[in-house]
Every structure is written in C-alpha cells, then in structure tokens.
Amino acid sequence: MAFQRKKKFKIHRRIEERVDFFDGLPDDIVTCILAKLSSSASSPSDFVNILVTCKRLNRLGLHPLVLSKACSKVFDIKAEKWSDSAHRFLKECVNSGNAEASYTLGMIRFYCLQNPGSGASLMAKAAMKSHAPALYSLAVIQFNGSGGSKSDKDLRAGVALCARAAFLGHIDALRELGHCLQDGYGTRQNVAEGRRLLVQANARELAAGLRSPVWMSNYYRRCLSPPVPVGCSLLSDFGCIVPERELHPANQFLKEWFESGRGAVGEKLRLCAHGGCGRPETRPHEFRRCSVCGKVNYCSRGCQALDWKLRHKAECNPGERWLEEDGADVDAGGGEMAEVEDGENVLFE
C-alpha cells in the first residue's frame, strides 16, 4: 500500500514538472513580447528563429502587430537568398503597415525587379509615414527623372522632398539640400545657407559616428595603444576619423544584387560610383559624370560629395580623359559634375 502511494506521488510529480507555463500565457501578452523582439532584432535570423520554434510562436509571430513593428534589420535580406518567400514576407509586412518594409520592397521593385511604378508607390506609402530614407530616395528619383524620360525631372519637387527628409534628420538629404542651395539647383541660390547646412550635416555625421558601436568598441583600445584609424576621415573640414556609416539594408541589397550578377545593368546603363548607394540608371545618361575625368557617375550631389573625399579625389586624373576623347564633347546628355574642392564646397556644372 505504501509502495503504491509512493509510485502515485512520483507520477504526479512528473506531470507537474512537465507543465509548460508558456501555454498559459494569453496571446495578447505573447504578441506584445514578439512585437518588442521584432523591433529590436539585429538580423533576420533573430526573427526567423522565433517563427520556427513552435506552431504557436509561428502563428503569433506573423500577427500584423508584430510585423508592423519589425525594424530594418529584419529586412536585411541577402541578394543571393532572394526568393518568392522573401518577397511574400515583405508584402505581408507592407500590408501590416510597416514603413521600413514599404521602403525596402519599393527600392527592390524600382531598381532590381524593374517595376518602377509599383516601387515608387511603395516608397510614397512609406514617405507618407514620414520615413526619411523614402523621402530622400523619392527626391533622387525626382532629380533624375528615374523610371521616365529626361523631361520627367522635377527639381523643385526633389528639393521639397529633401527638405522634409532633412527636417527628419536624414544626413544625406541635409547634405543634398545644402548643395542645392549653394548651387541654386531647383531653388533660389543661397550660398551662406547652403554652406551652413553642409557644416550641419558634417556635425551630425560626426555625432552619429561617435555613437556607433564600432567607435565605442575601439575607444578603450585607442586609450591603451597608439591611435589607428578605424574608419574613414569625416567628409568635412573637421578632419576627424570616424567609422564608415552602416548601409541601409535596401542599399546593401541593391549593391549585392548588381555586383553578384543576379541583376544585370542594361546596355549603356551605369551604377552610381559611390559604394554606399547601389542605385543603377533606369535610362542611358541618367546620371551625371565627373567632368574632370569622365570615368565615374553619380545619382546625386550628395553621393558625389561623399565619394570625392572617400575615394575619387585620389583617383581623378583629367589627363586620361583628354587622351581618350581627344577633345570630344563629354556631355552625352546626362550632364556633368565638376569636382573642384573648396573645403566642403563641390562645384557642379
């Protein structure tokens, strides 16, 4: 009798140990937790690992609230792994109201999948939610008339979109707006105000660099050893050394898509020479090229200014162009950019 009681006690104890309190949590609480996790994920795998854990987490992980809170890191999809399932996942996030998903999928459709109408519509959807990168990308499209003809350029609309993105803190938009004001491009010329915005963009870039994990991880190392450059020199008159900014997943995808050969750039079409951009031309001579060497092309003044001090300043050689073209007209319809350094001033023709 005592043996039977002892056996029943052991069985009851085992059953209690097997009780999973997770099953007792309401769906609302689990959904809120998953939404927090999706908003702070550091890579797509962080979110995918949640979905493959169990059926309940898979169901709740695809809840509209969770998808609407997903951060840009969740959409950091490698170009080589692009598939229909990745496309469907982005569309589900778009339908859930995620602005980052709208922008990322819009960039992919506009430049990679050659669907400019749908891509621009998705970027506009993100822009209406005050998504700064989407506003700046639409400004670049307006400046170049991308997806259409040269007559589709709308410089004033581009400046207005840049101003809105700059107001929201987008550094590239602020730099672009500064160049537009300085050169009178799409707006009334105001050299002093343009110069002020360029210096402000540099100051924000410095502040962002000092807050970056790369800078912080090297801080104590620099205190214990001689200073070693950990990034690129700041694109300003300050002469500081800061880490290079991390690319947005959309720009990283464009760069990998065309570099890997997954997407072929059309005949006589060129990629923006700035390594952190990835945008291709949508028609011949859409981008303007350096009027000194004629070998590099840029989608915007901001990209040209960034690449000038990062790389092209040391490579630009006007002699090669004079020998190749033998005095021929270099403006093939796309316009030119004359790289004349004056601090942060870069003059355009």
Side-chain angles (χ1 to χ4, degrees):
M1 191 75 176
F3 175 78
Q4 289 181 348
R5 266 195 250 108
K6 191 174 182 181
K7 187 175 180 181
K8 288 181 180 180
F9 177 76
K10 286 183 178 180
I11 294 174
H12 183 66
R13 187 175 180 182
R14 287 176 188 172
I15 293 174
E16 285 184 343
E17 288 176 351
R18 291 177 185 176
V19 172
D20 190 350
F21 292 102
F22 172 72
D23 293 335
L25 287 175
D27 284 353
D28 292 346
I29 294 178
V30 178
T31 300
C32 290
I33 295 173
L34 293 179
K36 184 67 175 179
L37 291 173
S38 68
S39 66
S40 59
S42 60
S43 66
S45 60
D46 289 349
F47 187 71
V48 172
N49 289 337
I50 296 173
L51 299 181
V52 299
T53 301
C54 65
K55 291 182 179 180
R56 188 186 183 198
L57 286 180
N58 182 280
R59 174 175 59 82
L60 296 178
L62 297 177
H63 189 279
L65 176 63
V66 178
L67 297 181
S68 67
K69 300 293 184 180
C71 64
S72 61
K73 294 290 187 181
V74 174
F75 310 123
D76 191 7
I77 303 168
K78 301 300 180 184
E80 61 183 14
K81 296 183 179 180
W82 178 252
S83 61
D84 290 339
S85 60
H87 199 168
R88 285 195 301 271
F89 174 71
L90 280 171
K91 286 195 291 186
E92 284 186 29
C93 293
V94 170
N95 294 334
S96 299
N98 191 301
E100 280 288 352
S102 296
Y103 170 63
T104 303
L105 184 57
M107 289 282 282
I108 293 173
R109 284 185 177 178
F110 192 96
Y111 292 107
C112 300
L113 305 183
Q114 298 179 352
N115 190 345
S118 175
S121 176
L122 286 171
M123 282 188 273
K125 188 175 181 179
M128 287 189 290
K129 296 183 178 181
S130 297
H131 189 269
L135 286 162
Y136 177 65
S137 291
L138 290 173
V140 173
I141 289 173
Q142 293 295 329
F143 283 137
N144 296 317
S146 301
S149 62
K150 189 177 180 180
S151 61
D152 292 325
K153 291 182 179 181
D154 192 338
L155 304 185
R156 290 188 176 184
V159 170
L161 289 165
C162 259
R164 177 59 179 164
F167 175 77
L168 294 171
H170 196 274
I171 297 174
D172 290 340
L174 186 62
R175 180 175 284 112
E176 187 80 21
L177 183 61
H179 283 297
C180 288
L181 286 169
Q182 192 170 246
D183 305 330
Y185 188 75
T187 185
R188 182 179 297 177
Q189 188 174 24
N190 189 335
V191 177
E193 180 65 13
R195 176 66 180 175
R196 187 187 70 80
L197 292 180
L198 290 174
V199 173
Q200 186 179 351
N202 294 326
R204 290 189 182 184
E205 184 179 38
L206 174 59
L210 295 177
R211 289 195 302 266
S212 69
V214 177
W215 176 272
M216 297 302 294
S217 64
N218 284 276
Y219 176 75
Y220 295 104
R221 191 185 310 166
R222 290 195 302 274
C223 294
L224 300 174
S225 60
V228 178
V230 295
C232 61
S233 75
L234 184 67
L235 308 175
S236 70
D237 304 325
F238 301 139
C240 299
I241 300 294
V242 296
E244 293 188 52
R245 279 183 296 161
E246 188 177 1
L247 296 183
H248 190 280
N251 294 101
Q252 185 66 40
F253 186 94
L254 296 185
K255 185 179 177 182
E256 293 177 359
W257 181 268
F258 294 106
E259 285 182 352
S260 65
R262 183 81 185 264
V265 181
E267 187 178 356
K268 296 182 179 181
L269 300 182
R270 306 161 295 188
L271 290 171
C272 179
H274 176 41
C277 178
R279 291 180 177 87
E281 290 182 319
T282 59
R283 67 173 188 280
H285 311 301
E286 177 184 333
F287 297 164
R288 293 179 302 171
R289 58 180 174 177
C290 171
S291 65
V292 178
C293 67
K295 291 184 174 295
V296 291
N297 315 278
Y298 300 102
C299 67
S300 64
R301 284 165 160 73
C303 281
Q304 194 268 348
L306 287 166
D307 195 57
W308 172 246
K309 286 192 175 182
L310 272 175
R311 178 187 61 87
H312 190 55
K313 180 180 179 180
E315 300 175 356
C316 191
N317 188 352
E320 294 181 5
R321 179 186 174 191
W322 295 339
L323 290 173
E324 290 178 2
E325 300 190 0
D326 195 22
D329 182 15
V330 298
D331 187 5
E336 303 176 1
M337 292 185 178
E339 295 180 322
V340 183
E341 185 194 10
D342 177 20
E344 184 60 60
N345 294 310
V346 182
L347 309 179
F348 302 88
E349 295 178 348

